[in-house]
Amino acid sequence: MTDNDTHVLRAGAAAQGPYALDIDPKRAGWSHSSLRVLELPPGGSHSLAAGDSEWIVLPLSGGCTVHVEGEAEGFELLGRDSAFKSVTDFAYVPRDAHAQITSGAGGRFALAGARCERRLPARYGPAPEVPVELRGTGNCSRQVNNFAAASAFACDRLIAVEVLTPGGNWSSYPPHKHDEHHPGVESELEEIYYFEVDGGGGVDGHGRADRDRETDGPGRGSGLGYHRVSPSRPGGTDILAEVRTGDAVLIPDGWHGPSIAAPGHTLYYLNVMAGPGSGEEREWLIRDHPDHGWIRDTWPSQPVDPRLPLYGPQEQER
């Protein structure tokens, strides 16, 4: 059995109950990071028991209301048509809380979670306050929606961002890692990548499920990407996978990247991170692969891909 067999979760393989995807620490074989994708029909409702984890409710398509027990009013999330169309607002649900998620029109909602110690207040995250960053240049250009980056939104352990990579570009590049705790240099963080492909099987251009084209096999839809994880230690994680809408990759360790978008299809992925090294300091500190880190030095001499930004105001970081 290879790491592709255990660490690459194909669409539907980790479904459970109302969740199209349900990854908890037990399923992943680690200690902190979780991700669920909740699908609600029109008028649908779901009860979320936070337990020992903090959660962010992030609309992938559609809007919803999140009512946290004990709060006077619910958080009305306007949401969006799809992750390829706009940034979205979101809601933070603290540990030990109970929340009700309801959607009049229905939709798909990512629940990004992390086991934590502190109980922070429930909060609303407005879409206009999400920092939108253009990272890299040339064919390494991508857009990062830093809705729950360590510097953008207060959580105890959870770190989460969205990345959109135009067709033909390389993302998560140069390969990097965060699997050891070295203060000021590298954080120890478990990571989940959840993928969607614009126009690919499973989700149409508006983020709606396209059941007619989705199958259980590798041929579902035309949109695809590729993701690589190479070992950072003897016996470490080793993955080379074709990814499509609804797939997820578990990364407990290793140099991860590139994530490659096929020409003609924008690649979206949601990163969910947490771990022993993300406690009070809560930092995303990475080390570049020594054979590939030099690529960053070439970025200042190249323009950003003119297809970016896909949407939203942005700040550029090279």
Side-chain angles (χ1 to χ4, degrees):
M1 183 172 290
T2 68
D3 288 337
N4 272 40
D5 297 321
T6 57
H7 290 50
V8 180
L9 306 179
R10 298 302 179 190
Q16 182 169 290
Y19 300 122
L21 175 72
D22 187 0
I23 301 169
D24 62 13
K26 183 178 180 181
R27 171 66 179 81
W30 55 38
S31 60
H32 287 82
S33 298
S34 296
L35 176 62
R36 300 169 179 170
V37 175
L38 173 67
E39 296 185 344
L40 288 179
S45 181
H46 176 70
S47 296
L48 171 66
D52 61 0
S53 296
E54 58 187 345
W55 298 88
I56 283 179
V57 180
L58 180 82
L60 295 171
S61 64
C64 65
T65 300
V66 181
H67 192 280
V68 180
E69 190 176 60
E71 297 293 317
E73 298 182 359
F75 303 118
E76 297 285 345
L77 305 188
L78 296 178
R80 54 190 170 182
D81 288 340
S82 87
F84 300 99
K85 300 298 183 183
S86 69
V87 74
T88 184
D89 49 1
F90 59 93
Y92 175 86
V93 178
R95 64 164 290 160
D96 301 319
H98 287 82
Q100 196 74 16
I101 304 169
T102 58
S103 179
R108 301 171 59 253
F109 309 96
L111 310 182
R115 280 180 174 160
C116 64
E117 286 72 44
R118 294 186 298 155
R119 191 178 196 274
L120 304 182
R123 279 161 292 143
Y124 172 74
E129 295 183 12
V130 173
V132 176
E133 169 195 345
L134 300 188
R135 186 177 296 168
T137 62
N139 60 2
C140 290
S141 302
R142 60 268 203 185
Q143 175 173 327
V144 184
N145 300 337
N146 288 301
F147 69 95
S151 60
F153 187 81
C155 298
D156 185 30
R157 289 185 178 267
L158 178 64
I159 298 172
V161 302
E162 300 179 302
V163 181
L164 296 112
T165 307
N169 285 6
W170 283 33
S171 192
S172 277
Y173 198 77
H176 56 279
K177 77 180 187 77
H178 41 68
D179 56 17
E180 297 178 288
H181 179 59
H182 295 285
V185 176
E186 181 180 356
S187 306
E188 184 181 358
L189 298 167
E190 311 150 351
E191 185 162 18
I192 302 168
Y193 275 64
Y194 167 75
F195 293 94
E196 293 190 357
V197 183
D198 191 22
V203 171
D204 66 14
H206 300 287
R208 294 186 294 262
D210 182 355
R211 300 301 185 189
D212 293 336
R213 288 190 299 159
E214 187 174 358
T215 71
D216 294 331
R220 61 185 193 282
S222 59
L224 57 85
Y226 289 89
H227 187 72
R228 174 73 170 128
V229 183
S230 54
S232 59
R233 62 188 70 165
T237 301
D238 193 349
I239 294 169
L240 176 57
E242 182 177 290
V243 293
R244 297 173 182 265
T245 290
D247 293 343
V249 176
L250 308 177
I251 305 176
D253 57 77
W255 305 103
H256 41 287
S259 290
I260 304 171
H265 296 276
T266 301
L267 179 69
Y268 165 91
Y269 53 86
L270 169 63
N271 289 143
V272 179
M273 293 169 276
S278 62
E280 292 184 3
E281 297 176 353
R282 191 170 168 260
E283 295 175 297
W284 181 68
L285 299 176
I286 64 172
R287 291 198 203 189
D288 286 340
H289 193 294
D291 293 342
H292 304 287
W294 61 268
I295 197 69
R296 289 188 191 273
D297 296 333
T298 71
W299 290 351
S301 63
Q302 302 177 71
V304 174
D305 189 314
R307 292 173 291 181
L308 294 176
L310 296 178
Y311 50 75
Q314 73 283 341
E315 55 190 31
Q316 188 168 338
E317 178 180 299
R318 298 188 181 185

